[in-house]
């Protein structure tokens, strides 16, 4: 077949761009860990010498890092003064950990994918799964760092108010379970906002529960506790609210999880399901957001589900229709889209 030179050049350009992005991934985590982005974002502009002095790092390495970041469009370069600076938008994404669009956590998760590539390759051959706890530890801190800013910026202000009567219950004093709580970012945010309510975080990964307890202690919240348990066997009854934050699709038996949640809820209780945004049809997810979620789904979410009983393997792009099917098969009779944004679906299921 004869090559179309224009299409070939376009594809090569895309691949070179992607190689540059992949090669810069470790530089993003280094910049985050060493405070390079933070220091740069808090200054009008800095030379490589000044940034190195502020962060107690080597100027020669910092100089090269700055060039790579400027070439990526992650920071700006002032050629007249040989200085570097960050725009408000770049600061929001890389320099301010409290920003709802702070994105460096995603690069920690990407690092774990590269560490675990041999395991994923073997899973492709065997069809077997990979346990969440068997991934490189970069995944656990990366997941927390990636999701926390969005939860901080949206959970109390935008998501919970869209659930029917839930905020009022939380303000008065409700009993809440956070399933698959991980390092407890979501649990702690809710516990701090609603001191009259009691919260329990459950996760099947013991090390995450250990970390959750440490995080809660650091946050100074005392209306919160944590236990190792799965979504199908967590204890207790009479919950007013049970939450799944970006984890239902990771479960081997999400139908069974929903069934257990329904039995644990009060008759007028609510199940809140937060999932990665996805349309119901594959063709409608072939975009940059879908691309990122499908990639993580291939290496993390789908293997995690396949490693468990049933192994339904919904994937991170399940979409509202499939999630509704899971919830209704689990016994819920009411299901609706409460709200959404470009990255999240917030779903409400009720008995």
């Amino acid at each position: 077949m004869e090559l179309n030179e224009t299409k070939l050049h376009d594809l090569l350009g895309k691949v070179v761009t992607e190689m540059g992005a992949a090669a810069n991934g470790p530089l993003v985590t280094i910049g985050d860990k060493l405070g390079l982005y933070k220091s740069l974002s808090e200054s009008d502009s800095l030379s490589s010498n000044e940034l190195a002095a502020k962060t107690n790092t080597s100027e020669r390495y910092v100089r090269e890092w700055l060039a790579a970041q400027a070439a990526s469009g992650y920071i700006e370069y002032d050629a007249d003064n040989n200085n570097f600076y960050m725009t408000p938008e770049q600061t929001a994404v890389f320099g301010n950990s409290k920003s709802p669009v702070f994105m460096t956590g995603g690069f920690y998760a990407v690092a774990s994918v590269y560490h675990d590539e041999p395991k994923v390759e073997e899973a492709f051959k065997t069809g077997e799964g990979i346990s969440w706890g068997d991934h490189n530890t970069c995944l656990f801190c990366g997941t927390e760092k990636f999701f926390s800013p969005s939860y901080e910026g949206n959970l109390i202000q935008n998501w919970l108010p869209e659930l029917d009567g839930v905020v009022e219950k939380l303000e008065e004093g409700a009993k809440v379970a956070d399933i698959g709580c991980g390092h407890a970012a979501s649990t702690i945010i809710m516990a701090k906002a609603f001191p009259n309510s009691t919260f329990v975080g459950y996760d099947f990964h013991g090390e995450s529960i250990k970390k959750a307890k440490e995080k809660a202690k650091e946050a100074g919240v005392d209306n919160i506790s944590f236990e190792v348990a799965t979504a199908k066997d967590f204890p207790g009854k009479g919950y007013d609210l049970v939450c799944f934050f970006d984890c239902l699709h990771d479960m081997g038996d999400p139908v069974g999880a929903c069934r257990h949640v329904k039995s644990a809820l009060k008759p007028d209780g609510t199940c809140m399901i937060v999932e990665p945004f996805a349309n119901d049809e594959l063709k409608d997810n072939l975009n940059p957001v879908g691309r990122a979620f499908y990639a993580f789904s291939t290496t993390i979410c789908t293997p995690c589900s396949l490693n468990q009983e049933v192994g339904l393997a919904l994937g991170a792009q399940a979409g509202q229709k499939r999630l509704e099917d899971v919830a209704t098969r689990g016994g819920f009779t009411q299901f609706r889209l409460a709200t959404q944004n470009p990255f999240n679906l917030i779903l409400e299921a009720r008995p």
Side-chain angles (χ1 to χ4, degrees):
M1 294 175 64
E2 185 176 348
L3 293 176
N4 182 308
E5 291 296 325
T6 300
K7 291 182 178 180
L8 177 61
H9 290 157
D10 288 345
L11 178 58
L12 289 172
K14 179 179 177 64
V15 171
V16 170
T17 299
E18 301 301 327
M19 288 176 62
N24 269 278
L27 300 186
V28 172
T29 58
I30 288 170
D32 181 60
K33 290 176 182 177
L34 298 180
L36 299 174
Y37 290 120
K38 186 175 187 294
S39 294
L40 189 60
S41 70
E42 292 173 347
S43 306
D44 290 334
S45 67
L46 293 173
S47 67
S48 58
N49 279 301
E50 290 169 332
L51 181 58
K54 277 182 170 288
T55 55
N56 194 30
T57 51
S58 164
E59 184 279 333
R60 185 63 190 89
Y61 280 100
V62 168
R63 192 193 328 162
E64 212 72 2
W65 180 88
L66 286 164
Q69 300 311 290
S72 298
Y74 295 167
I75 66 174
E76 301 297 318
Y77 175 54
D78 178 359
D80 293 333
N81 298 301
N82 197 28
N83 280 357
F84 299 84
Y85 64 96
M86 294 178 73
T87 66
E89 296 76 22
Q90 291 164 340
T91 295
V93 175
F94 293 104
N96 178 11
S97 62
K98 300 300 182 183
S99 162
V101 292
F102 187 63
M103 296 291 285
T104 63
F107 289 88
Y108 288 82
V110 169
S112 77
V113 170
Y114 278 89
H115 280 293
D116 294 334
E117 185 269 341
K119 296 179 182 177
V120 178
E121 179 187 357
E122 186 63 21
F124 265 73
K125 296 175 182 177
T126 65
E128 296 178 357
I130 302 170
S131 173
W132 176 265
D134 286 342
H135 282 282
N136 183 273
T137 54
C138 296
L139 176 61
F140 314 134
C141 64
T143 300
E144 178 194 2
K145 286 176 72 69
F146 180 71
F147 286 116
S148 292
S150 179
Y151 296 163
E152 286 278 5
N154 291 291
L155 178 51
I156 306 302
Q157 301 91 325
N158 302 321
W159 296 349
L160 287 172
E162 295 298 327
L163 304 179
D164 188 19
V166 167
V167 170
E168 291 81 2
K169 292 180 181 179
L170 291 168
E171 289 173 341
E172 293 173 5
K175 182 179 179 181
V176 183
D178 188 0
I179 311 302
C181 67
H183 288 187
S186 52
T187 330
I188 292 169
I189 290 168
M190 292 189 291
K192 290 171 70 174
F194 301 105
N196 293 331
S197 293
T198 57
F199 298 83
V200 186
Y202 297 108
D203 202 290
F204 76 155
H205 185 228
E207 288 300 311
S208 287
I209 288 295
K210 181 179 177 181
K211 190 69 174 179
K213 290 178 179 178
E214 294 173 3
K215 292 281 186 179
K217 185 176 180 180
E218 291 170 7
V221 288
D222 57 9
N223 57 331
I224 190 171
S225 61
F226 299 95
E227 294 184 36
V228 176
T230 74
K232 291 174 63 175
D233 68 8
F234 67 89
K237 297 283 185 180
Y239 290 100
D240 296 284
L241 175 66
V242 176
C243 306
F244 292 101
F245 288 97
D246 293 291
C247 64
L248 184 63
H249 65 271
D250 292 314
M251 296 177 184
D253 184 11
V255 174
C258 286
R259 186 175 296 113
H260 184 63
V261 167
K262 180 179 179 292
S263 71
L265 281 170
K266 288 181 178 178
D268 65 344
T270 300
C271 178
M272 178 186 188
I273 302 169
V274 177
E275 281 284 302
F277 178 86
N279 295 293
D280 292 325
E281 300 294 333
L282 170 61
K283 62 182 178 62
D284 298 321
N285 294 324
L286 303 182
N287 52 56
V289 173
R291 179 190 185 211
F293 285 146
Y294 277 125
F296 281 122
S297 185
T298 305
T299 56
I300 300 169
C301 308
T302 298
C304 184
S305 178
L306 290 173
N307 188 64
Q308 302 170 57
E309 76 284 1
V310 181
L312 189 60
L314 284 173
Q317 292 286 270
Q320 182 179 340
K321 185 177 179 181
R322 292 186 70 197
L323 292 166
E324 181 173 4
D325 178 65
V326 164
T328 53
R329 286 167 58 198
F332 286 99
T333 62
Q334 301 176 56
F335 186 93
R336 71 181 180 93
L337 174 67
T339 188
Q340 66 182 53
N341 61 38
F343 300 103
N344 303 100
L345 295 172
I346 294 80
L347 306 158
E348 180 186 74
R350 304 191 68 176

